[in-house]
Amino acid sequence: MTAVTKFIPYTQRTISKAPQWEKFTPEMKHTVEVLSQVLPFRVNQYILDELIDWDNIPDDPIFRLTFPHREMLRENEFSQLSDALRQNKDEATLQTIINKIRHRMNPHPAGQLTHNVPMLNGEAVQGLQHKYKETVLFFPSAGQTCHAYCTFCFRWPQFVGMDELKFEARTSALLVEYLKRHPEVSDVLITGGDPMIMNARALGDYIRPLLIPELSHIKNIRIGTKSVAYWPQRYVTDKDADDVLRLFEEVVAAGKNLALMAHYNHPQEIQPEIAQAALKRIIATGATVRMQSPLIRHINEDPKGWATLWTTGVRLGAIPYYMFVERDTGPNEYFGLPLFKAWEIFQQAYQSVSGLARTVRGPSMSAFPGKVMIDGITEIRGEKVFALQFLQARNPDWVRRPFFARYDPQASWLDHLRPAFGESHFFFENKDKTTPFEEMARIVTV
């Protein structure tokens, strides 16, 4: 088992103190300086020591997953910001350049700021999102950081100091009040950031209010976390690791299903002995672990890697859950793949595993109207098409309703697709196109 038991994080200001920094070329060091002005950067000693193959940088997938690369910005953006830094431009000039890049990167996709924020007593509830009828997302303020930041992260605005782009709630009081008035909600997803960055006491302060009898309609409490990959010590050697596990047991004993939505982006992350020990300890509490990740160019394009990840997870007791399409935000021009390629990778991985791993669904786009899965590529009446369906939707009547889009080898997101068979619009779009998606975007308010 790895000897790294003390959590040692590094940011752009402190990464030079890491022993591995000497392996970086001057150009690589400058790239970290430039990109970390725009996107969040944080890594820790466990990742540096145990997950990255330093003989394979900069191409090692975990290195790309945690360290920025020049191509994550457009060339003119990188050059402009690089020149400004080298010329020691004033802070106001730098921020103008940085903010222009950030806003170009579609910081809050899928209507997160405009359509997903619920209302309570006529006011927006801070730190909550309610996109699907049965599921509410909760962003505790104490969990709005991570053990390390992924370079592709679609929630990057949470971490860059732009308060107008951030979701967070100081307490769970408004969450509880909102849930009392919405008995249709069965699931609460505690997310971030990473809630598992919190100590056991703080985490319990957010979770225990959800166990009261008045919220008996809440059946499932989910925790979105990357800690299982980036800091598995959280469940094994941290000083309050046992307290965390006892909290999990308390939730299960209260009759709730506790599900850790575990973000594994590469099979290397599940290979260390301590990562596997963490999984076993979590599952022993009665909690479930569901594995999910986007498909990310330069990091996990190999179908064999996906198959290894899923089958290893199944062997350890985890449930393969989702392969997502990389979202249309942040440096997605660098990380995204065409939809046809995503489907090919998923199909090759899926057909190579047994039924126990075929619980996984994908490739799935978490788009504005809902989670759209690519069911396949086929030919109907002489037209090559994408076969699609909603796994989840703003309008529940759309779920599992098949629809078809013209095959487009360049398309990488739902917005790029056009209806097949000469249709003018998809069934979930307004016919006049003047205010698309307005009807299904409405959230019930009280």
Side-chain angles (χ1 to χ4, degrees):
M1 193 170 293
T2 178
V4 179
T5 57
K6 182 180 179 182
F7 180 67
I8 306 174
Y10 298 102
T11 65
Q12 188 269 331
R13 293 181 178 178
T14 61
I15 185 60
S16 61
K17 298 179 182 179
Q20 288 85 355
W21 188 242
E22 64 184 30
K23 299 177 182 291
F24 286 63
T25 65
E27 182 181 358
M28 291 164 63
K29 291 178 179 179
H30 181 62
T31 295
V32 172
E33 180 189 16
V34 174
L35 267 291
S36 60
Q37 306 294 320
V38 178
L39 298 169
F41 171 71
R42 194 184 200 209
V43 72
N44 67 62
Q45 196 64 55
Y46 170 76
I47 295 171
L48 300 180
D49 289 352
E50 301 294 332
L51 299 184
I52 294 175
D53 178 1
W54 291 97
D55 292 328
N56 190 35
I57 63 166
D59 295 327
D60 175 76
I62 308 300
F63 184 82
R64 288 186 184 271
L65 190 60
T66 48
F67 282 92
H69 286 59
R70 180 186 181 114
E71 295 81 5
M72 293 176 191
L73 294 185
R74 294 174 180 174
E75 183 56 39
N76 65 309
E77 293 172 339
F78 184 93
S79 297
Q80 185 182 18
L81 185 52
S82 174
D83 290 345
L85 288 169
R86 293 186 189 279
Q87 296 167 15
N88 293 314
K89 294 289 187 179
D90 61 89
E91 186 63 26
T93 300
L94 287 174
Q95 280 305 129
T96 298
I97 298 170
I98 291 166
N99 288 340
K100 182 179 179 180
I101 297 171
R102 285 174 176 168
H103 286 289
R104 190 271 300 170
M105 286 183 162
N106 188 21
H108 270 307
Q112 292 182 122
L113 280 178
T114 57
H115 293 83
N116 297 356
V117 179
M119 306 292 287
L120 185 66
N121 299 326
E123 295 185 2
V125 186
Q126 298 302 313
L128 266 67
Q129 289 186 26
H130 192 180
K131 181 176 180 180
Y132 307 126
K133 180 183 71 172
E134 66 279 356
T135 304
V136 165
L137 275 63
F138 177 57
F139 296 75
S141 58
Q144 298 315 305
T145 185
C146 299
H147 293 96
Y149 294 138
C150 299
T151 44
F152 72 87
C153 181
F154 81 94
R155 289 234 171 94
W156 59 269
Q158 291 287 98
F159 318 123
V160 295
M162 299 177 74
D163 291 342
E164 72 275 15
L165 301 180
K166 192 171 184 178
F167 290 100
E168 61 177 350
R170 298 290 179 186
T171 72
S172 56
L174 288 178
L175 169 65
V176 170
E177 184 61 29
Y178 183 80
L179 294 175
K180 286 179 179 179
R181 303 193 195 187
H182 287 271
E184 76 276 13
V185 176
S186 61
D187 292 44
V188 175
L189 170 57
I190 305 172
T191 185
D194 192 330
M196 295 313 303
I197 201 80
M198 291 187 279
N199 61 38
R201 179 193 54 76
L203 184 62
D205 287 345
Y206 284 110
I207 290 180
R208 288 191 178 96
L210 303 178
L211 308 182
I212 60 176
E214 294 91 329
L215 297 182
S216 61
H217 57 287
I218 303 300
K219 308 300 183 185
N220 305 301
I221 297 174
R222 312 184 200 178
I223 300 175
T225 185
K226 181 71 179 177
S227 59
V228 288
Y230 278 176
W231 188 247
Q233 290 86 339
R234 187 74 198 89
Y235 311 95
V236 184
T237 59
D238 275 7
K239 63 181 181 180
D240 65 343
D242 290 345
D243 295 332
V244 167
L245 299 177
R246 281 193 289 267
L247 175 62
F248 291 177
E249 291 172 346
E250 183 180 341
V251 175
V252 174
K256 310 290 187 184
N257 171 45
L258 178 65
L260 263 69
M261 318 309 289
H263 296 262
Y264 291 102
N265 304 126
H266 191 273
Q268 175 59 25
E269 297 171 329
I270 203 172
Q271 298 306 319
E273 182 181 348
I274 195 166
Q276 299 193 8
L279 258 184
K280 292 177 181 177
R281 296 196 85 203
I282 294 166
I283 293 169
T285 68
T288 58
V289 176
R290 295 180 182 265
M291 310 170 70
Q292 59 187 28
S293 170
L295 174 60
I296 318 165
R297 189 158 58 104
H298 305 297
I299 291 174
N300 56 17
E301 300 171 78
D302 182 7
K304 293 180 181 178
W306 283 94
T308 297
L309 178 61
W310 295 336
T311 54
T312 304
V314 167
R315 177 174 60 81
L316 297 169
I319 304 166
Y321 189 50
Y322 268 120
M323 176 197 279
F324 290 112
V325 175
E326 170 65 4
R327 284 199 178 190
D328 56 339
T329 183
N332 67 303
E333 294 174 357
Y334 180 78
F335 287 122
L337 285 163
L339 296 180
F340 85 88
K341 186 65 175 177
W343 162 247
E344 289 178 352
I345 293 170
F346 178 85
Q347 184 189 41
Q348 291 171 32
Y350 192 84
Q351 69 187 12
S352 69
V353 298
S354 77
L356 290 177
R358 291 186 181 180
T359 52
V360 68
R361 298 174 292 180
S364 173
M365 293 175 276
S366 292
F368 188 93
K371 286 187 172 70
V372 178
M373 183 174 74
I374 306 168
D375 247 347
I377 299 171
T378 189
E379 188 171 303
I380 299 176
R381 299 203 305 254
E383 182 175 347
K384 191 174 184 180
V385 297
F386 286 111
L388 307 163
Q389 65 166 296
F390 281 98
L391 293 174
Q392 184 62 280
R394 293 185 186 272
N395 184 338
D397 291 339
W398 300 347
V399 174
R400 297 306 294 248
R401 178 174 171 178
F403 63 103
F404 301 91
R406 295 201 302 260
Y407 178 79
D408 181 349
Q410 304 301 318
S412 60
W413 197 248
L414 181 65
D415 292 350
H416 303 161
L417 298 177
R418 297 294 175 264
F421 316 129
E423 296 292 329
S424 62
H425 63 280
F426 292 114
F427 72 88
F428 52 86
E429 294 177 315
N430 282 349
K431 295 180 181 180
D432 60 11
K433 297 285 187 173
T434 55
T435 55
F437 307 128
E438 282 300 315
E439 287 302 312
M440 52 78 176
R442 184 176 59 87
I443 294 293
V444 174
T445 61
V446 295

